[in-house]
Amino acid sequence: MESLTQKIQALMEQNQRVTDGNQYTLPSPELYPFQWLWDSCFHAIILSKFDVAAARAELRSALSRPLRRGMLPHIIYWEEPEDGNGNWGREMRGDIIDVSWGTKGTSSITQPPIVAKAVWMVYEREQDEEFLQSVYFTLKDHFEYLAYERAVQAYAPLLAIVNPDESGEDNSPRFDGALGLPAVQTPDIHLDARIDLMKQYASCGYSVSTCMKKHFAIIDVPFNIIYAEGLEYMARIAGELSLTGEVKKFKTCAKAVKQAIREHLLVGDMFQSINLLNKGHITADTWARFMPLYGGFLSQEEASVLVEDLCDTEQYWPEFPIPTASCAAESFDPVHGFWRGPVWIAPNWFIYHGLKRYGFTDVADTLKQKTIKLLETSGFREQYNPHTGDGIGAKDFTWGGLVLDME
Ligand code: GLC
């Protein structure tokens, strides 16, 4: 692990950039040459283990470009990619950024709000109160934006996402139904559907409550679980800054979100996202079914049943867990699937903590060892084949560093 730690430090350093005094880390210089919101939160958690000042800088930078209504965008396009080959993704195609995002230098959608937790974890290392104070109001604005603009009336205070990209799992099978796509599909078809959504969002004037909810709106399980946790961290942060009234507000809101998650999203023994277009629960079988472990939404007994499911070698526990879709699902594609099968390290990190939370230490430890093996044999890749462990997608990808926080 020691040499792995050194490799992680070297990778983080290699991917670090500074633009106009903003210091941030590229998820992968070749394929993702900008700053992404939830990636930066992962980066801050990784950096907090060995360079707390860099971790603070990473978050300050991620928080530096809120949109008018307080929302933190999921991408900040600090600089043109060096090679200009546009390899990294769709938004560079033609004028899509300018036309569809309607912003200068950022996207106009967000990602799961894990930022309050990241801020807290970084703060905890050195208790730098000035840091906490400097980011608090931006964080608060973001959480208020979510509560006011994204809460869905009939299911309030649960939030809706308006593009699969907001889940961080771009082409997860959870979104197939809402996009009208079949279980077996090509990445291009998916990309086109998401570009259409970006255009629709622009024509809606970026209003979710009045317009976008007619095109695409999903109450997604992981997003809402991370939101509930984020509100709890907001209460802690407010407490540290002696903002008593706000502590109460965030705590009350967190409690209400947690209740609503169980009330509206639990169907039988599985938490399922809701497609607001038809008010139906989404039955697609993805790794997200284990997120309630992370969020603490289960009784010990329910957790035992779920962990048994997790350890099924035919579904979620092949040679290298955890595949992002069940190996038994029709949509499963271990090589080209992107979020439809290959292993990504962030889901492993979430579930590792969920397992620890409920005392499944042995399973958690095996997951950690298998994750380390992926990094040691295939390097820092964006994804891995759950059967062979081969690396897939972006190279020099940072998320592997999260093993430093599997302890
Ligand atoms: C991919 C991932 C997303 C991530 C981004 C940058 O689009 O699906 O979660 O934020 O890459 O790494």
Side-chain angles (χ1 to χ4, degrees):
M1 185 80 176
E2 201 182 310
S3 79
L4 184 59
T5 306
Q6 283 164 357
K7 282 185 190 155
I8 292 169
Q9 291 187 11
L11 175 71
M12 296 305 287
E13 219 168 279
Q14 176 196 317
N15 288 12
Q16 197 169 87
R17 300 287 183 276
V18 180
T19 307
D20 302 335
N22 294 286
Q23 184 179 306
Y24 55 96
T25 311
L26 311 178
S28 157
E30 198 190 4
L31 210 58
Y32 299 108
F34 308 108
Q35 180 168 24
W36 267 259
L37 179 58
W38 83 331
D39 297 67
S40 271
C41 298
F42 300 146
H43 297 159
I45 292 169
I46 298 164
L47 289 166
S48 72
K49 308 290 173 188
F50 54 86
D51 187 349
V52 190
R56 282 191 294 260
E58 179 91 22
L59 289 171
R60 280 202 174 101
S61 176
L63 290 159
S64 68
R65 304 288 301 274
L67 303 194
R68 202 165 41 88
R69 283 177 295 173
M71 191 200 80
L72 294 171
H74 91 305
I75 305 178
I76 303 178
Y77 302 96
W78 288 113
E79 286 177 25
E80 283 280 317
E82 274 161 30
D83 61 2
N85 65 10
N87 248 346
W88 68 276
R90 60 206 166 274
E91 291 91 348
M92 285 309 252
R93 277 193 348 211
D95 55 0
I96 287 175
I97 294 183
D98 296 336
V99 173
S100 296
W101 289 147
T103 54
K104 259 217 143 353
T106 73
S107 75
S108 51
I109 58 172
T110 191
Q111 269 182 333
I114 196 159
V115 60
K117 176 187 179 121
V119 162
W120 181 261
M121 285 181 72
V122 170
Y123 168 73
E124 260 190 330
R125 302 289 291 187
E126 292 180 349
Q127 271 112 54
D128 179 343
E129 203 171 305
E130 187 275 325
F131 166 68
L132 219 49
Q133 258 158 5
S134 70
V135 294
Y136 177 72
F137 289 99
T138 311
L139 282 179
K140 181 171 172 256
D141 286 351
H142 180 61
F143 276 86
E144 281 179 359
Y145 162 85
L146 293 174
Y148 292 123
E149 180 64 11
R150 298 306 188 90
V152 181
Q153 243 173 21
Y155 304 94
L158 298 184
L159 308 181
I161 57 171
V162 293
N163 189 308
D165 287 1
E166 292 203 305
S167 72
E169 301 170 56
D170 321 8
N171 70 337
S172 168
R174 291 203 301 286
F175 311 117
D176 289 353
L179 293 172
L181 295 176
V184 178
Q185 49 178 262
T186 64
D188 276 352
I189 292 182
H190 205 278
L191 201 56
D192 287 344
R194 294 197 329 268
I195 289 174
D196 283 349
L197 278 185
M198 286 160 63
K199 291 180 182 157
Q200 266 155 353
Y201 195 32
S203 67
C204 277
Y206 309 102
S207 167
V208 179
S209 44
T210 60
C211 176
M212 194 56 197
K213 64 176 187 196
K214 294 181 206 141
H215 300 292
F216 181 100
I218 304 257
I219 300 180
D220 203 30
V221 170
F223 196 100
N224 279 282
I225 287 179
I226 292 169
Y227 175 53
E229 182 196 49
L231 290 164
E232 284 173 343
Y233 278 105
M234 286 304 291
R236 281 205 210 181
I237 295 171
E240 203 69 5
L241 297 174
S242 308
L243 301 165
T244 325
E246 312 228 329
V247 174
K248 207 166 158 222
K249 200 188 77 185
F250 282 121
K251 273 192 180 162
T252 309
C253 192
K255 202 168 157 210
V257 173
K258 284 172 115 176
Q259 271 169 4
I261 287 178
R262 251 195 101 94
E263 184 186 339
H264 295 295
L265 305 185
L266 183 57
V267 182
D269 58 1
M270 187 169 162
F271 285 78
Q272 295 176 352
S273 304
I274 296 177
N275 175 3
L276 286 166
L277 297 193
N278 61 12
K279 309 252 183 311
H281 282 93
I282 298 173
T283 53
D285 198 353
T286 74
W287 76 279
R289 64 188 280 188
F290 305 108
M291 268 301 271
L293 288 167
Y294 173 82
F297 283 85
L298 307 165
S299 66
Q300 192 62 35
E301 212 181 310
E302 289 168 331
S304 299
V305 174
L306 196 59
V307 172
E308 238 174 76
D309 281 356
L310 175 67
C311 294
D312 177 351
T313 54
E314 301 292 310
Q315 296 194 52
Y316 283 98
W317 207 268
E319 187 56 30
F320 294 99
I322 298 170
T324 38
S326 163
C327 297
E330 197 192 345
S331 53
F332 178 70
D333 178 348
V335 179
H336 305 292
F338 208 57
W339 284 93
R340 308 169 76 81
V343 175
W344 291 65
I345 307 294
N348 281 16
W349 172 78
F350 282 114
I351 303 310
Y352 172 86
H353 286 288
L355 290 165
K356 292 278 276 206
R357 177 174 196 144
Y358 282 95
F360 297 98
T361 321
D362 290 350
V363 187
D365 199 48
T366 309
L367 180 59
K368 175 181 171 174
Q369 295 314 327
K370 295 222 173 206
T371 306
I372 289 175
K373 192 156 178 218
L374 283 176
L375 301 174
E376 283 177 346
T377 52
S378 301
F380 296 100
R381 298 297 296 270
E382 183 180 20
Q383 316 140 48
Y384 303 86
N385 181 323
H387 296 308
T388 63
D390 290 343
I392 307 169
K395 298 195 176 115
D396 298 324
F397 194 69
T398 48
W399 293 13
L402 285 170
V403 289
L404 295 185
D405 188 54
M406 293 189 183
E407 49 193 12

